[in-house]
Amino acid sequence: MEKTVKIEEYNPDWVSEFQQEKARIMEVLKNDSLCVEHIGSTSVIGLGAKPILDIMAGVRHLAEVDTFIEPLKSIGYEFVPHKEFPERRFFRKGRWRAGTHHLHIYRFGSEQWKNQLSFRDYLRSHPDVRKQYQQLKMSLAEKHPADIVGYTKAKAPFILNVMESEKGG
């Protein structure tokens, strides 16, 4: 059964959970040049979220990620190919459509890398937009209670508008 879309209140433990998971990832990958960031709603203090930790790692070349598959598997991550996102490599920890951690790997400094950080940082520094996003997420969770893909797609226009306004402003 698919996990329902449930938005939980912000949990301050998400920060320490990220730090612990980052340490595990760094330990198994043994890659000193890897940059790891906490992204997504769990990285924004005060923002409710699905209790899935989104982690982003930056690499010099995406081809490096092939060597990460087995080490990450040893700590519970499964590589999930997404042809529709050629600039990202994705790993999930937990069951299909009910993961507990998502690891997104991009080329460090790429547009995708920058966009993830920009959106996170914008929400952190704009409480009014964070509140609007919170309300949208709650509404969409009610509208798409068993459809995580639909829920995610429905958030996209809001995220794009925020990113466009940030670039223009």
Side-chain angles (χ1 to χ4, degrees), residues 17-34:
E17 289 175 24
F18 163 73
Q19 291 297 338
Q20 292 167 11
E21 199 64 20
K22 176 182 176 179
R24 283 186 204 100
I25 291 167
M26 298 294 281
E27 184 178 333
V28 298
L29 294 183
K30 298 176 180 19
N31 185 332
D32 293 335
S33 64
L34 195 66

Side-chain angles (χ1 to χ4, degrees), residues 44-103:
V44 180
I45 293 173
L47 182 60
K50 296 186 314 295
I52 300 169
L53 224 56
D54 281 295
I55 300 167
M56 179 174 68
V59 294
R60 287 191 181 99
H61 306 284
L62 285 177
E64 295 175 59
V65 179
D66 292 344
T67 66
F68 297 176
I69 293 172
E70 288 305 314
L72 287 171
K73 190 176 187 179
S74 75
I75 59 169
Y77 284 90
E78 177 186 356
F79 175 62
V80 182
H82 283 286
K83 291 179 184 174
E84 64 273 22
F85 299 106
E87 301 301 318
R88 179 188 78 170
R89 300 299 179 266
F90 180 75
F91 292 81
R92 179 191 67 246
K93 190 174 195 177
R95 294 187 331 270
W96 173 249
R97 297 262 191 252
T100 57
H101 299 72
H102 290 167
L103 175 60

